Amino acid sequence: MLAFAIFVATLVLVIWQPKGLGIGWSALGGAAVALATGVVDWADVGTVWHIVWDATFTFVALIIISLILDEAGFFAWAALHIARWGNGRGRLLFPLIVMLGAMIAAVFANDGAALLLTPIVVAILARLEFSPGAALAFIIATGFVADSTSLPLIISNLVNIVSANYFEIGFTRYAQVMVPVDLVSLVATLAVLGLYFRRDIPARYDVERLETPASAIRDHQVFRAAFPLLLVLLIALFLTTRWPIPFAAIMGTAALMLMAIAGRWLTPGHVHVVSLKKVIGNAPWQIVLFSLGMYLVVYGLGNAWLTAEASRVLEWLGGQGAFVATVGTGFASAILASLMNNMPSTLVGALAIDQAQVSATTQQLMVYANVIGNDLGPKFTPIGSLATLLWLHVLAGKGYRIGWGQYMKVGLIITPPVLLATLLALAFWLPMLPTPGSG
C-alpha cells in the first residue's frame, strides 16, 4: 500500500503541476520518498537508469531536431503543400492532413506530430475560415493520428524506444514487424475518423486564401539540409542495428549536425534565423528527470505486487491462444496507460512480460502488443500521456478548449476499433516472419 500511495501522490503532482512545478521535479520527489521509505533501494536506481537513459536522451535529441526544423519553417511548408494538394475539397484535405501527421509521427515521434503540427493546422484552418465544428474535426484528427501511427520505427515514440531497448530488439527487426502493422493502424484511423467526423468536414474551401509554401521557409540552409540529413539518419539507424550503438549517440550526432547548420558554426557572422538558445531552452529536459524518477516509483510498485499480478494475468492470456494473448495484452496495456500514464505503464508491461512463463512466440506478440497498447491507450483519457496534456494546453492557448469529458467521449468511441484492428494485424503478421537470428 505504501508503494501504491507514493505512486498515486507522484502521478497527481505530475498531472496537476501546482504552481508550475516541473514534471521532473515531481517524479524525483516521489523517487526520493520511495528511496527513503525502502520501497526501492540504490541498486534499483542503477537498474532503472540502465533501462531509461538511452530512450530518454534519444527522445531529447529527436525533439531538438524537430524544434529546429519547425523554427526553419519545415513543417509549415509541408502543411501548406498538403492544403494546396487538397485542391479546395475538404473531404480530400482531411485524409491528407491525417497522412501528413502519420509521416511526421513516424520520423519525429508522436510528440513532434501533435505539438508542432497542430498549431500549424490551426493557423491554416483559421486562414480558410473553417467553422468551429470543422476545425475541431481536423484538430482532433491531428492529435489522434500522432499516437495511433507512432508505431513503425523505434524512434516514433518514447514507448517504442524503452521497449526495444529492454527486450534488445534491433531497429531493422522492429521495423520489419511494425511498419505493416502501422499501415493497418493508419487505414483504420482514416476510416474511423472519416466516419466519425463525416458531417463536420466542409465540402469546399478557398485555396486562394493560402500563402505559398515557399513563404513559410525561414531558414533556407536548414531547410535544404533537412531531407538529406533525415535520409542519412534513417540509413544509419538501419545499418548500425547489428552493433550495440545506443540510439542516443546516433540521434545526438544528427542533432548536433543540424545545430551546426542552424547556428552557422562554420560560417560565423551570418544572421541566425533559428534561435538555438530558444530551441535548447524548449527541449524536454524535464523528461530526463521524469523518466528516472517516475520509473523508480513504478519499479517500487512493481516490486511490491504489481509486476507479479500482471505476470499472472499475462500467463492466463498466453494460455488462451495467440490471438487472445495479443488482443488481451494490448487492451490491458491500453487501459493501464489510460489510468496511470503510458510511461509507467510501459515499464510495468515490460517487467510483467519478462517474468511471465509463456512461449517465445507468445512473448514476442506480447512485447509488441504492449507497445501498441501504450501508444494508443493514451487516447482513452487525457492523463494517458504527458503529450496529450500538453497538447490540450497548446490548444487552449489557441482558443480551442477541449474539456476532459468531451475528449473522453471522442476517445472512447474512436480508439477501440483502431486498437483492435492494429492488434489483429500484429497477431496475423508476426507469426509469418522468421524468428530473429534464423535464416
Side-chain angles (χ1 to χ4, degrees), residues 236-275:
L237 287 167
F238 278 106
L239 290 181
T240 57
T241 190
R242 66 189 69 184
W243 299 293
I245 300 176
F247 294 120
I250 301 171
M251 297 301 301
T253 300
L256 286 172
M257 291 173 63
L258 196 59
M259 288 172 66
I261 296 169
R264 308 295 195 268
W265 293 351
L266 300 179
T267 54
H270 282 248
V271 177
H272 295 170
V273 179
V274 176
S275 171

Side-chain angles (χ1 to χ4, degrees), residues 7 11 14-15 59 110-111 146-147 150 156-160 162-163 287 290 294-295 298 333-350 370-379 381-389:
F7 167 75
L11 186 61
V14 165
I15 295 171
F59 180 74
N110 60 323
D111 298 77
D147 285 318
S150 64
S156 303
N157 198 311
L158 186 55
V159 164
N160 308 357
V162 170
S163 301
I287 288 291
F290 174 82
M294 196 68 187
Y295 273 43
V298 173
S333 300
I335 293 170
L336 192 62
S338 69
L339 296 175
M340 69 184 304
N341 189 270
N342 67 338
M343 290 282 285
S345 171
T346 299
L347 181 61
V348 171
N370 185 50
V371 169
I372 293 170
N374 282 293
D375 281 358
L376 272 71
K379 308 319 292 182
T381 66
I383 67 171
S385 72
L386 298 173
T388 299
L389 291 170

Side-chain angles (χ1 to χ4, degrees), residues 26-60:
S26 297
L28 279 185
V33 174
L35 277 168
T37 55
V39 171
V40 294
D41 56 37
W42 285 105
D44 294 329
V45 176
T47 300
V48 170
W49 182 245
H50 177 72
I51 294 172
V52 305
W53 78 267
D54 187 28
T56 303
F57 286 111
T58 299
F59 180 74
V60 170

Side-chain angles (χ1 to χ4, degrees), residues 86-164:
N87 199 29
R89 291 181 288 168
R91 289 181 177 84
L92 176 58
L93 177 64
F94 189 78
L96 286 175
I97 289 290
V98 170
M99 286 188 284
L100 176 63
M103 288 187 288
I104 294 177
V107 180
F108 300 100
N110 60 323
D111 298 77
L115 302 180
L116 299 178
L117 183 60
T118 298
I120 295 169
V121 170
V122 168
I124 289 175
L125 297 177
R127 185 75 173 175
L128 294 174
E129 296 185 353
F130 276 20
S131 68
L136 185 63
F138 280 85
I139 290 167
I140 293 290
T142 304
F144 185 84
V145 75
D147 285 318
S148 69
T149 57
S150 64
L151 302 168
L153 305 176
I154 287 178
I155 61 172
S156 303
N157 198 311
L158 186 55
V159 164
N160 308 357
I161 306 172
V162 170
S163 301

Side-chain angles (χ1 to χ4, degrees), residues 211-237:
E211 300 91 341
T212 61
S215 67
I217 302 173
R218 299 181 62 243
D219 190 318
H220 288 270
Q221 284 191 240
V222 170
F223 181 83
R224 285 193 294 269
F227 288 106
L229 179 67
L230 293 173
L231 179 61
V232 170
L233 173 60
L234 288 175
I235 292 173
L237 287 167

